[in-house]
């Protein structure tokens, strides 16, 4: 058994919320609080949310985490 870890990022928009919602629907769990930062180069707020998931497979650095 392994615990996988991902950080989802994106502009502060509904698209980011959908990305996090899709991960939750696939069995990922929120890990900690979301983070926000202003991207001055592009003039937008950026978001980040860590998620984790327990899987039966042994961890392999070649895993495609989004496919788990």
């Amino acid at each position: 058994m392994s615990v996988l870890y991902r950080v989802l990022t994106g502009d502060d928009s509904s698209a980011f919320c959908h990305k996090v919602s899709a991960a939750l629907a696939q069995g990922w769990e929120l890990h900690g609080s979301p983070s926000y930062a202003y991207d001055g180069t592009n003039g937008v707020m950026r978001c980040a949310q860590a998620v984790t998931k327990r899987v039966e497979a042994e961890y392999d650095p070649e895993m495609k985490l989004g496919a788990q």
Side-chain angles (χ1 to χ4, degrees):
M1 169 142 329
S2 298
V3 177
L4 304 180
Y5 174 88
R6 298 171 61 191
V7 175
L8 306 173
T9 61
D11 291 348
D12 185 11
S13 67
S14 62
F16 177 75
C17 294
H18 287 291
K19 183 187 292 190
V20 173
S21 295
L24 295 174
Q26 294 169 359
W28 293 84
E29 297 181 10
L30 298 177
H31 182 79
S33 299
S35 295
Y36 298 91
Y38 182 69
D39 177 348
T41 302
N42 295 307
V44 297
M45 290 298 291
R46 302 270 298 155
C47 304
Q49 175 64 60
V51 293
T52 60
K53 184 177 185 180
R54 293 188 183 279
V55 295
E56 292 297 323
E58 290 298 316
Y59 173 73
D60 178 347
E62 300 298 317
M63 289 175 136
K64 294 191 185 302
L65 297 177
Q68 295 298 317

